[in-house]
Amino acid sequence: MGSLSDNGGNWPPDGGSPDGLPDFPEEWGVIVIPDDLSELSEEVTAVREELRQTQEKTRWERFADRPGMRSLRRIGAASLRAPVLIISMAVLVTVASLFASAWPGPSRSPATQRTANTTDDRGDRLPALELIGTDGKTVPIRGQLPAVVLLTDGCDCAQLIADTAAAVKPGITVVTVVAGAAPGQTGAAPATGAVPQAPGKVVSALRDPTGELRSGLNLGAPDGTAAALLVDSSGEIVRAVPRTASIEDLRPDLARL
């Protein structure tokens, strides 16, 4: 067998290897070395993967790679998803609530305040009753509108009537109503004294035989004070005062008639 020095550095003519080196194993087959080494990238990747798998694993890696540990890892990952989802939903709901509370809503008109036992903005209508006049004839109470109706059962209200007649504008009738039978009959209501007449003002004294006006409007039983109704020309009660003894309780609302 020749050598590279004997043959000018070329391979021996009998096909042997130079310098006495052994030939490649036959099971390797024909080995072709490409001119462009990038063509061997797939083979390089496969060899690296094989070497990585054959590397010896640490004790912890072997412990973590057991089937039981793999199951525990899957269970742990699944158990973490539910709390994370719950926390995320709670944060979203909280943020939405903050936006809803801070968002300006439609303005609301303030509710009308009512003073107990003094005034009541009823919004009701005056019943279409026919009461009895001083001459004994029937008088439709709605024929007196607009009016301030004073229910004076058991009330010494002469001063209140006079003050009301002086305070109302011309064209507004002051109507006094006493419940019960006519004077001299059984069950007659106590007299309230003569009805004063203010110059240029109309004061009408009527009697409600059955007390239907007081009971129908839930004005309560007589207690020595008057009940007042401020009624406009359409018959709407713009203010009701269940108990009063002074014109000052009515004065702020007289302009609404």
Side-chain angles (χ1 to χ4, degrees):
M1 178 181 296
S3 64
L4 291 176
S5 59
D6 299 334
N7 197 15
N10 296 321
W11 289 93
D14 57 359
S17 60
D19 298 329
L21 296 176
D23 293 334
F24 293 118
E26 294 181 359
E27 60 268 18
W28 285 14
V30 179
I31 297 177
V32 179
I33 299 175
D35 296 333
D36 187 359
L37 296 180
S38 62
E39 297 179 7
L40 300 176
S41 59
E42 294 183 2
E43 286 81 357
V44 172
T45 301
V47 171
R48 288 178 177 175
E49 182 64 23
E50 183 178 353
L51 291 175
R52 187 187 64 81
Q53 293 179 357
T54 57
Q55 289 179 352
E56 184 178 0
K57 296 182 179 180
T58 63
R59 182 179 301 177
W60 172 252
E61 290 175 340
R62 290 195 300 271
F63 176 76
D65 199 39
R66 292 181 180 179
M69 292 302 299
R70 288 198 298 269
S71 300
L72 288 177
R73 288 200 303 271
R74 286 194 296 269
I75 294 173
S79 63
L80 286 176
R81 293 191 187 100
V84 170
L85 180 61
I86 293 173
I87 293 173
S88 301
M89 291 299 296
V91 171
L92 289 176
V93 170
T94 302
V95 172
S97 301
L98 291 175
F99 274 107
S101 60
W103 195 265
S107 59
R108 297 181 179 179
S109 58
T112 303
Q113 287 189 336
R114 297 181 179 181
T115 305
N117 300 328
T118 56
T119 61
D120 181 14
D121 194 356
R122 304 181 69 89
D124 298 333
R125 295 187 65 81
L126 187 69
L129 299 177
E130 289 191 347
L131 305 183
I132 307 300
T134 55
D135 57 359
K137 296 181 180 180
T138 58
V139 178
I141 191 171
R142 286 192 178 180
Q144 311 295 311
L145 303 181
V148 176
V149 181
L150 299 174
L151 286 76
T152 58
D153 304 316
C155 170
D156 185 7
C157 296
Q159 187 61 50
L160 174 62
I161 297 171
D163 292 343
T164 304
V168 297
K169 296 181 295 184
I172 298 176
T173 306
V174 177
V175 180
T176 64
V177 178
V178 177
Q185 298 181 1
T186 303
T192 60
V195 178
Q197 296 286 341
K201 307 295 177 67
V202 178
V203 178
S204 177
L206 303 177
R207 180 169 47 85
D208 183 2
T210 61
E212 186 176 353
L213 182 60
R214 180 182 287 272
S215 62
L217 295 175
N218 298 317
L219 294 175
D223 61 355
T225 62
L229 301 173
L230 279 67
V231 189
D232 64 15
S233 58
S234 67
E236 182 180 356
I237 300 174
V238 299
R239 179 68 69 183
V241 184
R243 284 175 288 278
T244 181
S246 172
I247 184 59
E248 300 306 323
D249 294 335
L250 313 179
R251 196 184 301 277
D253 298 294
L254 292 178
R256 299 172 62 185
L257 299 182

